[in-house]
Amino acid sequence: MISIHKVNDQVLSNIRNGLIKSNVVLEKIMPLLTPTAIVVGVLNESRLLPFTGLVPWIFAFMTLIGSLKSNLKDLLGVLLKPQKLLVLMIILHIVMPLIGWLVASVVFPGDPYTVTGFVLLFAIPTGVVSVVWVSIYGGNIALTLALILIDTLLSPIVVPGTLYLLMGASVEIQLGEMMKGLLWMVVIPSVVGMLLNQWTKGRVNTVCGPPLSPFVKVGLFMVVSINGASIARYLKHPDSKLAIIIGVTFITVVLGYVIGAVISRRFRFSYEDSVAVQFNSGMRNLSAGAVLAVKYFPPAVALPVISGMLFQQILAAMSGLFLRNRTKRPITDGALTQVPPASQSEPPISSQR
């Protein structure tokens, strides 16, 4: 007779395997996830608006799960050789915010809220989901996780500081409240996740990470849907201004990927480092940006951030295809494997110095 314990173990194993398989499916449809969530939010405005108060809690949970991969060893390893980390921080928090501010100021003169939206779009930290894309294409995971952690920890200072420096004279910015929001939504969950990983010597990520991963994607869908409902009145009645906002957002976000790729070639980074730099230069934690925009600014500020959600994952997929074609590394079992070059005249990037 089969014992109850064995039955329970089998049930738990089946649930775990089902969650892991569902995460694989969700990762494959990531390019469509956020655009679909925005549509759901717009179509269900009245139903979703009452749940706005849940958004910070959902986001904190997502951050906690994403941070279970972080540990002090990887962080210290990157800090001992900080060149690439510094390059990424300069791209993320100096180059791109300035580009967003300059372009928006030229295209939308006399519209401080839209300009603020573009500054916020590029002031927020790199996206936690970037680790998924970097992993798929065989990039430097340690560098990515260290960047996410450091960028996240600095966000209560960097995000309000960037907004204040570029827009402080034009728009009222709730610096204190924004710093508190980032602290509770992003910083504390990240530190807790890293400490749990460190305390359990990685076991918490091994045991809990894979089955909890699909809930991060579900949480992302919920956050984007609710935030989409918050600005539904703008999206339900599109005009030429909204079309221009979407177009400018697309161009400036693409520039992030391009700058990451150019810098990687200029400094002759290895393939693994190039993947990490390119994805992290282009991706942003847009769900966090949308939460901040909706909570602390007029709705117009959220438009550039929400519009970025329409194609961030699609651009990430296109960036991955560019990397694969350029280096002739096909995807195999979720990662890229080296393919011997056809001739010595075309060595893989990882061997170029």
Side-chain angles (χ1 to χ4, degrees):
M1 183 176 179
I2 300 175
S3 67
I4 295 177
H5 290 297
K6 287 185 177 179
V7 172
N8 289 339
D9 288 344
Q10 185 62 44
V11 171
L12 290 174
S13 177
N14 289 338
I15 293 174
R16 177 185 171 84
N17 291 335
L19 289 171
I20 293 173
K21 289 178 181 178
S22 68
N23 187 59
V24 173
V25 174
L26 289 171
E27 286 186 355
K28 289 181 179 179
I29 62 172
M30 279 295 290
L32 301 176
L33 195 65
T34 46
T36 303
I38 293 172
V39 173
V40 170
V42 171
L43 295 179
N44 295 275
E45 178 184 5
S46 59
R47 294 187 184 93
L48 292 177
L49 281 178
F51 297 100
T52 302
L54 294 177
V55 168
W57 296 98
I58 297 171
F59 192 83
F61 170 76
M62 292 163 55
T63 305
L64 174 63
I65 302 306
S67 299
L68 293 177
K69 300 180 180 71
S70 304
N71 61 66
L72 289 173
K73 182 180 178 182
D74 290 341
L75 178 60
L76 291 174
V78 172
L79 290 177
L80 289 173
K81 297 180 179 180
Q83 180 198 20
K84 300 173 188 70
L85 184 64
L86 290 173
V87 167
L88 277 167
M89 293 297 287
I90 290 171
I91 293 172
L92 285 168
H93 295 298
I94 296 178
V95 176
M96 293 310 300
L98 283 173
I99 288 176
W101 174 68
L102 287 169
V103 172
S105 297
V106 171
V107 179
F108 305 101
D111 187 351
Y113 291 130
T114 299
V115 177
T116 300
F118 278 97
V119 174
L120 179 61
L121 173 65
F122 294 111
I124 52 181
T126 190
V128 175
V129 75
S130 63
V131 75
V132 175
W133 291 103
V134 172
S135 176
I136 289 173
Y137 286 91
N140 189 333
I141 297 295
L143 173 61
T144 300
L145 291 174
L147 172 69
I148 291 170
L149 181 61
I150 292 171
D151 209 11
T152 297
L153 294 177
L154 292 176
S155 61
I157 299 172
V158 172
V159 176
T162 303
L163 286 166
Y164 182 76
L165 286 173
L166 295 178
M167 300 301 304
S170 305
V171 176
E172 182 182 353
I173 301 171
Q174 303 177 46
L175 290 177
E177 290 301 313
M178 191 181 301
M179 290 175 74
K180 273 196 263 183
L182 284 165
L183 185 68
W184 286 106
M185 277 195 317
V186 179
V187 175
I188 291 177
S190 294
V191 172
V192 170
M194 184 187 69
L195 292 178
L196 282 173
N197 188 321
Q198 197 70 29
W199 181 50
T200 61
K201 298 181 179 179
R203 182 170 172 77
V204 67
N205 181 52
T206 303
V207 175
C208 301
L212 288 177
S213 290
F215 293 104
V216 175
K217 280 79 174 179
V218 173
L220 175 65
F221 188 91
M222 294 170 65
V223 168
V224 175
S225 296
I226 296 171
N227 286 330
S230 300
I231 60 167
R233 60 182 178 274
Y234 291 94
L235 301 178
K236 282 181 178 178
H237 306 286
D239 53 17
S240 59
K241 181 180 177 180
L242 179 59
I244 295 171
I245 288 174
I246 292 174
V248 172
T249 303
F250 180 85
I251 293 170
T252 50
V253 171
V254 168
L255 274 176
Y257 288 99
V258 172
I259 289 171
V262 170
I263 292 295
S264 296
R265 287 185 70 89
R266 175 67 180 82
F267 287 97
R268 296 181 179 274
F269 289 157
S270 67
Y271 171 80
E272 290 75 15
D273 292 336
S274 296
V275 171
V277 169
Q278 186 165 317
F279 277 115
N280 286 295
S281 295
M283 302 200 76
R284 288 295 188 283
N285 200 336
L286 293 183
S287 49
V291 174
L292 294 176
V294 170
K295 190 170 183 179
Y296 300 112
F297 294 97
V301 174
L303 287 176
V305 181
I306 297 292
S307 65
M309 290 180 173
L310 290 170
F311 40 73
Q312 175 167 259
Q313 302 302 326
I314 297 172
L315 287 176
M318 292 172 62
S319 181
L321 290 174
F322 169 78
L323 282 166
R324 183 180 62 180
N325 292 335
R326 178 181 154 198
T327 58
K328 297 181 173 60
R329 292 187 174 207
I331 299 177
T332 303
D333 296 330
L336 291 175
T337 55
Q338 178 71 42
V339 173
S343 69
Q344 294 302 318
S345 62
E346 292 183 342
I349 284 180
S350 60
S351 65
Q352 291 179 352
R353 293 290 178 189

